[in-house]
Amino acid sequence: SAVISQKPSRDICQRGTSLTIQCQVDSQVTMMFWYRQQPGQSLTLIATANQGSEATYESGFVIDKFPISRPNLTFSTLTVSNMSPEDSSIYLCSVVRESSYNEQFFGPGTRLTVL
Amino acid sequence: GDSVTQMEGPVTLSEEAFLTINCTYTATGYPSLFWYVQYPGEGLQLLLKATKADDKGSNKGFEATYRKETTSFHLEKGSVQVSDSAVYFCALTYNTNAGKSTFGDGTTLTVKP
């Protein structure tokens, strides 16, 4: 398995501000993924964080709104910029271990509330 | 595109009752199928998986069979416990895009003593 930690675990933010979420993995992984889970809804992939190159964003998500960093093989950050109440969600980091045949491991999530 | 549809919840059962959570999918290729569980206040954990048609995944008394003919992957357990109370997500992914999963909306299960 993989041990994934996220910081902060939760936050309450004001409209128009930005929040950076950190994801730390206990071992090196090639790809890290950021998901959003809106209240009462399913998980939606935001982007794939690639080490050494720009993140790959899914349809409907843009770098200006969700800038991502991936400075090394165990760490990534997701920033939620210029927040609005619609950004209130749980943000989850996940990784795939090459040896685990597509098994995804998820972090505990960051619960964000925007007022 | 691909999609996953789960039965709507919430589902409330008494302890030792039989559980079925339906999951159907539409896919353009031949994905692997997964069930994840999210306990209160925690992240998602893999419950079981099946990588090809007719495979049966099982774990902790839960089972699901990959049915290509009905495009289904229903989750079952013969006797639920209070500790099984959680949100259950059905998901699919392709080997070539590991990590880019398509999830169902989740089904909340509450088991009462």
Side-chain angles (χ1 to χ4, degrees), chain A residues 36 44-47 57-66 87:
Chain A
R36 180 174 72 182
T44 303
L45 181 64
I46 298 171
Y57 289 84
E58 299 300 306
S59 176
F61 298 96
V62 295
I63 187 171
D64 289 347
K65 176 67 176 177
F66 296 101
D87 294 320

Side-chain angles (χ1 to χ4, degrees), chain A:
Chain A
S1 65
V3 177
I4 305 172
S5 61
Q6 288 187 230
K7 291 181 182 179
S9 59
R10 59 177 63 229
D11 207 342
I12 300 174
C13 300
Q14 296 297 319
R15 182 195 298 261
T17 63
S18 298
L19 176 71
T20 295
I21 302 168
Q22 299 179 6
C23 177
Q24 180 74 52
V25 189
D26 66 340
S27 59
Q28 295 183 346
V29 291
T30 303
M31 291 189 291
M32 298 174 75
F33 304 86
W34 287 99
Y35 282 83
R36 180 174 72 182
Q37 185 180 12
Q38 293 179 298
Q41 297 188 29
S42 184
L43 283 77
T44 303
L45 181 64
I46 298 171
T48 302
N50 307 305
Q51 199 270 333
S53 64
E54 283 194 358
T56 306
Y57 289 84
E58 299 300 306
S59 176
F61 298 96
V62 295
I63 187 171
D64 289 347
K65 176 67 176 177
F66 296 101
I68 287 172
S69 77
R70 182 80 197 276
N72 58 53
L73 292 175
T74 63
F75 186 79
S76 178
T77 67
L78 169 76
T79 299
V80 186
S81 302
N82 189 24
M83 289 184 284
S84 67
E86 291 71 34
D87 294 320
S88 298
S89 295
I90 299 173
Y91 292 85
L92 296 116
C93 170
S94 82
V95 304
V96 172
R97 283 266 169 83
E98 284 79 2
S99 60
S100 67
Y101 194 72
N102 293 349
E103 180 178 344
Q104 280 187 269
F105 299 95
F106 287 87
T110 296
R111 185 179 295 272
L112 170 62
T113 302
V114 183
L115 303 178

Side-chain angles (χ1 to χ4, degrees), chain B residues 67-108:
Chain B
R67 302 284 190 199
K68 185 180 175 183
E69 63 277 13
T70 55
T71 62
S72 65
F73 193 55
H74 304 321
L75 182 69
E76 296 182 336
K77 186 175 185 182
S79 176
V80 294
Q81 306 300 313
V82 172
S83 58
D84 293 326
S85 298
V87 182
Y88 292 83
F89 291 91
C90 184
L92 66 82
T93 191
Y94 294 95
N95 296 351
T96 54
N97 286 297
K100 296 180 68 171
S101 296
T102 300
F103 286 85
D105 287 343
T107 301
T108 300

Side-chain angles (χ1 to χ4, degrees), chain B residues 10-90:
Chain B
V11 175
T12 302
L13 296 173
S14 298
E15 206 164 23
E16 299 184 2
F18 184 86
L19 169 70
T20 299
I21 300 179
N22 290 338
C23 171
T24 58
Y25 67 91
T26 59
T28 54
Y30 301 97
S32 297
L33 301 176
F34 301 82
W35 276 101
Y36 290 90
V37 58
Q38 186 176 33
Y39 296 105
E42 299 184 16
L44 273 72
Q45 302 172 26
L46 177 67
L47 181 59
L48 53 84
K49 66 181 179 184
T51 58
K52 62 182 185 298
D54 299 326
D55 268 2
K56 177 186 282 188
S58 61
N59 185 29
K60 299 181 181 179
F62 291 89
E63 293 184 341
T65 301
Y66 191 163
R67 302 284 190 199
K68 185 180 175 183
E69 63 277 13
T70 55
T71 62
S72 65
F73 193 55
H74 304 321
L75 182 69
E76 296 182 336
K77 186 175 185 182
S79 176
V80 294
Q81 306 300 313
V82 172
S83 58
D84 293 326
S85 298
V87 182
Y88 292 83
F89 291 91
C90 184

